[in-house]
Structures are given as C-alpha cells and as structure tokens.
Amino acid sequence: MKFTATLLLLLSMGLSAAAQADARNACVQDLEFLPDFLLTNDTGANDHLAQKGQAHFDAAFAEALAQANQVTDVKQCRKVIQNYLRSWRSGHLEVVVTAPVKKVEPAAETTETTDAPQPPKVDTRAPSLRMLSDQTLLLTVPSFGAAYTKPLAALLQQHHAQLAKHPNWIIDVRNNGGGSDSTYAQLLPWFMADGWLEIGMEWLVTPVTIDAQASVCELFMPGDSACTDNIDPVLAVMRTAETGSYIALEEQAATFKTVETLEPKRPSKVAVLTNNHCASSCEQFLLTAQQSFSVKVVGQRTYGALDYSNLRPYALPSQQLTLYYATSRSRRLPDMPVDVLGVIPDVYLAPAQDEQAAQAEVERVQTWLEGGRL
C-alpha cells in the first residue's frame, strides 16, 4: 500500500498530538500527586505550610496546573514542577527526568588512528592551592562532593610543608554547592583547635522513607561500608517507631566535637570567602568553622539549603520524573533556621559582578590578613 505525502503528514500530526496529550496528562497526574506526598513524607513541608499559609500553596498549585496543561513533553513538565516545588522551598527539593535504562552496545572496531595530541580535560571543580605571598595562601574548594574527598586529601598531603608555614589562609568556597561533610572534615585539624558544637538531626518515619533508606546505599554507593554504617542504625530505629513521628539517634540535640589529631603548626588567621551559591554541606562547613577563634567568614550570605536534607528519590506516578525529597531536618529548628537567610558572614562584602571583581575580593582579604585595610 502506498501512502501519499499528505496522508503521512496527517498521520504524523495525529501521533504528535497524541504524544502531547499524553505528556499533558502525565504532567497533571504528577503535579496532583505532589501536595499530599510532600505533607506526608517531606520533613519541611508541614513547616512551610505553617509559615506561608494554604493560600500561598493554592495559588502556586493553580498556576502550575495551568502550565502543566500546556506542556508538550517531559522536559517542559519537569520545569513546571520544579518551579512549583520552589514555592515550598528553594533548595533540597528537586525533580529530575527519570533516566531510562540503556543497553550498552559494544564499541565498533576501527583501524583509524591519529597522532594529534588530545588536550587534557580540566576539572574546574577540583580543589587547588596557590601561594599568594610568603605569609598568605589561597585554598580554593569549589565542591565538597564525595568525588573530591581524595583529591583534597592528596592536595593537603602534597603541600603539607607549605600549608604549615603560612600563617594566613584564605579558603575560597564561593559557588560550592555542597556535597559530603567528610570532604571538609580533613580541613578541621588545621583550625578547629578548641572544638565545636555540632547540632544533630531527626528523621521523619514513613513507610515510603523506610523503603528509601533501605535502598539508598545500594542505589548510590554500592559496596560502601561507610554508607551502610550510617544508615543501618537510622533504619533500625525507624522500623520500631510510629509512622509520622520523628526519631533521633542522639538524646541531646547538640554534641561537643573535637579533632582527634590536630596539626601541630596551624594558621593563626583564616578567612573563608563565601557567596550566595554556597549551599548544603558548604553551609554546614561555615557553621562549624565560625566557631573557631581563628576564623572569619567573609563575603555574602549563603544560599540557604541546610535545614531539611538527606534527599531520597521517589518515582512520580508517570514514571517519567523522579522526585528528590528531604527525609531529615536539623535540630537547630525552629530557633536557628538557615534556609530563611542562609549563613550570615562575619564580614560583609558587596557581591562581585564579574571575574575581575571576584579576584579583587581575594586581594582585599589578603591585604587585610597581612595587616592592611579590608
């Protein structure tokens, strides 16, 4: 049977219209699922409802619903739902397109060769160290992600002698979106001589979250014993607790911590440079570092994504989008929220407008550490 070009076009348009209708229906379904799910499982949702009021969320949902009915594909839907989630809070609440399982095909054989040198890939998120003078050094840590724990350790070990002989440090965590507390923990022996108070967290108990906790290590860190060592005690308590309750592993909200082995030669003055893009574990690093008598935080207030954390995935009804919601909340709440204003610096600097201004911030702080004016 032969099809004319016009008939093929009409068939194509029909299939396209059907696909767009399916995308709209799936998006509306996922959006309608979210409010009850968040209020039942997300540790921040009920706090946000109390703070902002039902009218705020009704308006946000109505706007999102109108937009969901106009989407034509899953990427547009993701954007609509992400904007809706921002009406709840600005961080630690995300939706992503569910990655399809792809069959790995064997690489095709080729006899083609080239002698052209390939430029090495530069990881712009890797930690780096620069000596600014015989007194001051600059340690730049763009990420506390788990992938940078070993690179940071190697950097500290390789330059240990120089780190020890410089009395002034600038630690640049501007644009550091967070990661793992264990990454920055190796910096603490250099300036946390007097110890610090660490505020613990509590976990919301729901069947969905229990299942998520049980699978999180295998899903994201298979074979990592440190992950199971941290999660297993939480799971054990959650499985015996009442649904809807909060549990904590420590009786006291605040625990005094000390560094087991301090560096014998430590900097006398440390300035931590930060900005509005420091978030999550980066903010936790600042809360810890600020408790040292030798540390000043300089720059702008941080992003504000720390009160509700330990995100876990949940597939939305369409199976095309995955929600990441918070399963724990800080025991600082309600007395000392971070998400509202971020971490406030000890010394405020106006935001840098470009790369040249960002570099000028480093130079100003160096001058200040070395006895001049900021």
Side-chain angles (χ1 to χ4, degrees), residues 201 203 209-221 224-239 247 249 309-312 327-328:
M201 65 183 66
W203 307 78
T209 297
I210 289 174
D211 289 344
Q213 302 288 26
S215 61
V216 67
C217 291
E218 183 61 29
L219 187 61
F220 294 112
M221 305 177 71
D224 189 323
S225 59
C227 182
T228 55
D229 288 346
N230 287 327
I231 291 297
D232 285 353
V234 176
L235 262 176
V237 178
M238 291 182 79
R239 284 169 170 158
I247 60 101
L249 298 186
S309 55
N310 285 289
L311 304 192
R312 300 292 181 259
T327 61
S328 68

Side-chain angles (χ1 to χ4, degrees), residues 90 274-280 282-284 286-287 290 297 300-307 332 336-345:
S90 60
T274 188
N275 65 5
N276 189 243
H277 299 290
C278 167
S280 192
C282 182
E283 293 173 302
Q284 186 60 54
L286 297 184
L287 291 180
Q290 278 184 321
V297 175
Q300 300 86 50
R301 66 179 179 86
T302 60
Y303 183 79
L306 188 63
D307 295 340
R332 286 181 284 96
M336 187 182 169
V338 167
D339 289 7
V340 176
L341 287 176
V343 177
I344 307 301

Side-chain angles (χ1 to χ4, degrees), residues 303-322:
Y303 183 79
L306 188 63
D307 295 340
Y308 310 96
S309 55
N310 285 289
L311 304 192
R312 300 292 181 259
Y314 187 85
L316 295 182
S318 72
Q319 301 297 309
Q320 296 178 335
L321 294 172
T322 298

